Amino acid sequence: MEQLSAGKKLDQAFEKLGKEKSISFELDLDVDAETLKLMDAESDPESGDEIPDEAAELISGAKISVTVESKKPIDESEEKDFVGVAMKVSTPGGDLVEYRVVGDYTYVRSDVEALTKAMDAPMPPADSLPPEAKGLKKVLDGEWVKFNTKEIQKAGQEMAQEMGEEPGAKPSPEPTLDSKTQKKLLEALREVIAREVDFTTAGGEDGTEHITATAPFRTLITELIGEIRPLTKDLPPGMDLPSDKDLKDAPDTKVTADFTLKNGDLTEVHVDLAKLAENAKVKKFGLVLKMSGGTKPTAPAGATELDLEELMGGFFGAMMQDEGLGESDLPDEGLEEGLTGDAA
C-alpha cells in the first residue's frame, strides 16, 4: 500500500507541474572541489588535461537557475508557445553567466574574467578591440548586451551555405518527439519505476513529506532502455540507444533519490550519486533540484545591441591580433570579407 501511495503522490506532483504555464528551478551539485579533483584523477586524464583548481572550485559552488514561460500549460507546449526563457549560472562570488530570451532578442551578460580564469583561456583585453566594437567592450565589462535571435539564425544558415550546402536550403528541423511518442515513453518510464524502484515515505511538519526512491542503477537503466527500444523508429534521428552489452560495465549499486513534497507540490529532489563513483573516498556527491521562484524572463534595461558585423569582425579580428595574425595572414580575400561582416 505504501509503494502504491508514494508512487501515486509523485505522479500527481509531476502532473501538477505540467499544468503550470511557468516553471522555475535551481540545479546544483552537492560536492566539494577536492572530491571533483579526486574523481578527475580516477579517470586517468592525459598530462596537462587535469581539471584546474579554479575550475573545480567554480563547478562545486555553481548553481544553475532556469525559468521558462509559455502561453499554454508546459505539458501541452510546443516551441512556438514559449514566450520567455531565463537562465543564470551563479557562484558564492557572484553571477557568472546570465541570458534571457524575450520577444525577438536574446540578452546576455557574463563575468568574462572569472570564466576565462577557470577555463585557462584568456580573452583579448578590451583595449585591443577596434573603436567600433563598443558592444563587445560591454561584454568584456560584464554588462548586458543583446542580439536579434532571428538574424543570428539567418547568419548561421548563410555560413552553412558557404561551407557547401545548396543555396536556399532550409535548415534541418530540430529533433522533436510527437505527443503520441511522448506518452509511450512516459508510460514505459512509469512501468519500469513501478517494477524496479522501492519507495519509502516519511512525514514532516507543516504539510511536508519525503518520498525516497531506491533502485540498482544498472538494472534500472537497462530495463528502461529495454522498454524504449521498441519505440526507436519513432525517436528523432541520431538518438542511438546503448546496447545491453554497453550497459554491462555500468555500476549496479543502488542509487537513492529523495523527493520533498509540500502540500502535494514537488519542492526539491536530491539524488545521491556517491556510490556510482565506485570510490570509497567519495563520501558526498549528489545532484540537487529545487523548485523556486527564479528570474522572470523580462528584457533588462540598457542592453547594448550587437550586430553581426561587430561579432564577426571586431571579436574574431581582435582574437587574431592577440594571436599575432594580421591581414596578410588571411588565406584569401573571401575569408577576410567574411570576417568583416559582408555576409551579414
Side-chain angles (χ1 to χ4, degrees):
M1 181 63 69
E2 181 181 46
Q3 176 109 343
L4 178 61
S5 175
K8 185 63 176 177
K9 287 178 180 178
L10 282 181
D11 260 354
Q12 292 175 343
F14 280 107
E15 286 174 1
K16 288 179 71 174
L17 281 178
K19 300 304 180 185
E20 298 289 340
K21 293 183 178 180
S22 176
I23 290 182
S24 297
F25 59 88
E26 180 183 271
L27 184 68
D28 71 290
L29 287 175
D30 185 17
V31 66
D32 56 40
E34 288 302 316
T35 299
L36 287 176
K37 289 184 67 65
L38 174 64
M39 294 171 64
D40 180 61
E42 285 288 316
S43 68
D44 194 24
E46 295 288 336
S47 179
D49 290 338
E50 300 88 351
I51 185 171
D53 292 344
E54 292 85 354
E57 290 287 347
L58 184 148
I59 294 171
S60 66
K63 295 181 180 181
I64 301 175
S65 303
V66 178
T67 299
V68 293
E69 285 191 346
S70 175
K71 294 180 290 186
K72 297 180 179 180
I74 297 297
D75 62 1
E76 300 175 14
S77 297
E78 300 178 4
E79 184 178 357
K80 60 182 176 62
D81 299 315
F82 289 99
V83 295
V85 178
M87 189 279 289
K88 179 170 65 176
V89 180
S90 58
T91 68
D95 298 338
L96 290 177
V97 178
E98 183 172 6
Y99 84 85
R100 303 176 194 175
V101 180
V102 183
D104 295 332
Y105 284 87
T106 297
Y107 301 82
V108 183
R109 69 172 176 176
S110 63
D111 186 339
V112 176
E113 183 178 354
L115 287 171
T116 55
K117 183 178 180 181
M119 295 185 294
D120 194 25
M123 295 289 287
D127 57 12
S128 71
L129 295 174
E132 63 272 16
K134 296 179 181 178
L136 290 171
K137 291 181 179 179
K138 298 287 187 181
V139 172
L140 297 179
D141 288 336
E143 298 184 31
W144 279 107
V145 296
K146 66 179 182 179
F147 56 84
N148 187 293
T149 308
K150 290 183 179 180
E151 287 184 4
I152 293 297
Q153 292 173 344
K154 180 181 177 182
Q157 295 173 21
E158 292 175 349
M159 291 178 66
Q161 291 173 7
E162 291 177 1
M163 296 176 66
E165 290 189 8
E166 291 294 327
K170 295 183 179 180
S172 301
E174 291 291 328
T176 57
L177 290 174
D178 58 61
S179 59
K180 185 176 180 180
T181 302
Q182 290 181 39
K183 291 180 179 179
K184 288 181 180 179
L185 289 173
L186 182 59
E187 186 59 34
L189 176 60
R190 286 175 170 168
E191 288 181 7
V192 172
I193 289 176
R195 196 166 60 236
E196 303 296 341
V197 179
D198 293 324
F199 292 102
T200 59
T201 62
E205 298 179 353
D206 302 324
T208 299
E209 184 174 15
H210 293 278
I211 298 177
T212 301
T214 305
F217 179 74
R218 188 198 310 147
T219 302
L220 182 63
I221 195 68
T222 300
E223 290 291 319
L224 180 58
I225 294 299
E227 290 286 345
I228 295 176
R229 193 164 281 119
L231 304 176
T232 303
K233 66 181 186 301
D234 299 319
L235 299 179
M239 290 187 65
D240 297 325
L241 299 177
S243 65
D244 289 341
K245 183 179 179 181
D246 295 331
L247 297 171
K248 283 184 178 180
D249 292 332
D252 207 29
T253 53
K254 290 187 176 181
V255 175
T256 299
D258 183 77
F259 300 84
T260 301
L261 275 61
K262 175 78 170 181
N263 297 324
D265 294 328
L266 182 64
T267 60
E268 182 174 332
V269 183
H270 183 283
V271 184
D272 187 355
L273 303 172
K275 291 183 179 179
L276 292 183
E278 297 186 305
N279 187 323
K281 295 181 180 179
V282 176
K283 303 297 183 182
K284 186 176 72 171
F285 179 42
L287 186 66
V288 183
L289 177 70
K290 296 180 180 179
M291 312 310 293
S292 63
T295 301
K296 183 176 177 61
T298 56
T304 301
E305 184 168 359
L306 302 179
D307 58 32
L308 185 60
E309 180 177 355
E310 186 172 339
L311 283 172
M312 299 301 293
F315 183 67
F316 292 112
M319 290 185 67
M320 287 191 295
Q321 291 175 17
D322 193 54
E323 294 295 326
L325 298 176
E327 293 184 3
S328 61
D329 297 295
L330 293 173
D332 56 52
E333 183 178 344
L335 177 58
E336 182 180 353
E337 292 177 353
L339 290 171
T340 54
D342 286 356

